[in-house]
């Protein structure tokens, strides 16, 4: 799990958006790592964060839906980075992943807001969708981005004034991209 680690010494997303960040960052393709690779691991992750009770279990259907949700949230965060919405076919898949975790609107002490629906592990994961919906409504969602490096995809919170960060870390992924661009430019000069 990310356990608060942020590349480039970035601050984590503010609570409760940090839960979404932590959930998506349980998978790091660059490191071939998945911290919730089994239903039991996902159950433990949810329990450690108080999103499920001691008797709630993650069944196969919820596990598969959770993996689709994680990928959907990463793609939505990547859209924040790129400034381009996912393609229509992918948007339909994202909609389906989100729909597996329903929400309700409830009156709270500070006005209406989103709350998770359902029970058990499905409700716990719906809590993450409620956080996203609330962040979107409040304007914080655009700051949660996925590293532009395809094999990384680490979610980070862009606290820059102009919201222009693209990489989890300039020292890691940003540096890799600069090196690749340099090599491409110089390879072109040698061919000429």
């Amino acid at each position: 799990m990310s356990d608060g680690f942020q590349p480039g010494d970035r601050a984590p997303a503010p609570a409760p958006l940090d839960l979404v960040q932590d959930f998506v960052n349980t998978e790091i393709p660059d490191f071939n790592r998945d911290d919730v690779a089994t239903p039991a691991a996902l159950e433990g992750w949810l329990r450690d964060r108080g999103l499920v009770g001691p008797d709630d279990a993650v069944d196969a259907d919820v596990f598969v839906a959770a993996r689709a949700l994680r990928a959907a949230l990463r793609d939505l965060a990547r859209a924040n980075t790129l400034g381009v919405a996912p393609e229509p076919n992918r948007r339909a898949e994202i909609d389906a992943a989100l729909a597996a975790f329903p929400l309700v609107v409830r009156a709270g002490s500070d006005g209406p807001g989103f709350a998770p629906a359902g029970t058990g592990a499905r409700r716990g994961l719906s809590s993450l969708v409620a956080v996203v919906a609330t962040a979107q409504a409040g304007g914080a969602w655009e700051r949660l981005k996925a590293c532009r490096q395809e094999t990384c995809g680490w979610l980070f919170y862009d606290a820059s004034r102009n919201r222009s960060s693209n990489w989890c870390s300039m020292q890691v992924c940003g540096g890799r991209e600069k090196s690749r661009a340099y090599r491409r430019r110089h390879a072109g000069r040698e061919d000429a």
Side-chain angles (χ1 to χ4, degrees):
M1 289 179 224
S2 65
D3 291 329
F5 168 80
Q6 296 298 314
D9 294 325
R10 290 184 181 274
L17 199 51
D18 62 336
L19 276 173
V20 175
Q21 180 182 29
D22 193 36
F23 174 64
V24 176
N25 287 341
T26 59
E27 179 188 39
I28 307 300
D30 225 6
F31 303 146
N32 206 17
R33 178 176 152 187
D34 187 347
D35 294 328
V36 294
T38 65
L42 176 59
E43 188 178 310
W45 187 91
L46 291 166
R47 190 162 288 115
D48 288 348
R49 282 145 189 86
L51 297 175
V52 295
D55 297 328
D56 294 326
V58 173
D59 64 25
D61 289 341
V62 170
F63 179 69
V64 169
R67 294 175 73 78
L69 176 63
R70 183 174 63 182
L73 294 174
R74 186 182 310 278
D75 284 353
L76 290 173
R78 184 168 279 122
N80 289 340
T81 307
L82 301 176
V84 177
E87 295 294 321
N89 287 344
R90 182 61 184 138
R91 281 197 312 263
E93 294 169 353
I94 290 169
D95 286 345
L98 294 170
F101 301 99
L103 303 177
V104 295
V105 177
R106 294 220 167 98
S109 60
D110 57 348
F114 300 101
T119 60
R122 192 167 297 275
R123 180 182 178 86
L125 290 159
S126 291
S127 296
L128 300 175
V129 177
V131 168
V132 171
T134 301
Q136 176 66 38
W141 173 252
E142 304 82 54
R143 289 193 177 270
L144 194 62
K145 297 180 173 184
C147 182
R148 168 172 224 125
Q149 173 72 30
E150 279 291 321
T151 59
C152 178
W154 183 273
L155 259 63
F156 65 92
Y157 189 74
D158 183 359
S160 67
R161 178 175 279 174
N162 63 359
R163 301 176 186 202
S164 63
S165 293
N166 288 295
W167 314 103
C168 65
S169 166
M170 278 308 295
Q171 293 78 19
V172 180
C173 291
R176 288 179 191 169
E177 183 54 34
K178 283 184 176 187
S179 292
R180 277 194 288 275
Y182 176 83
R183 286 193 299 274
R184 283 192 302 267
R185 283 192 309 272
H186 281 46
R189 290 181 188 161
E190 291 173 6
D191 292 341

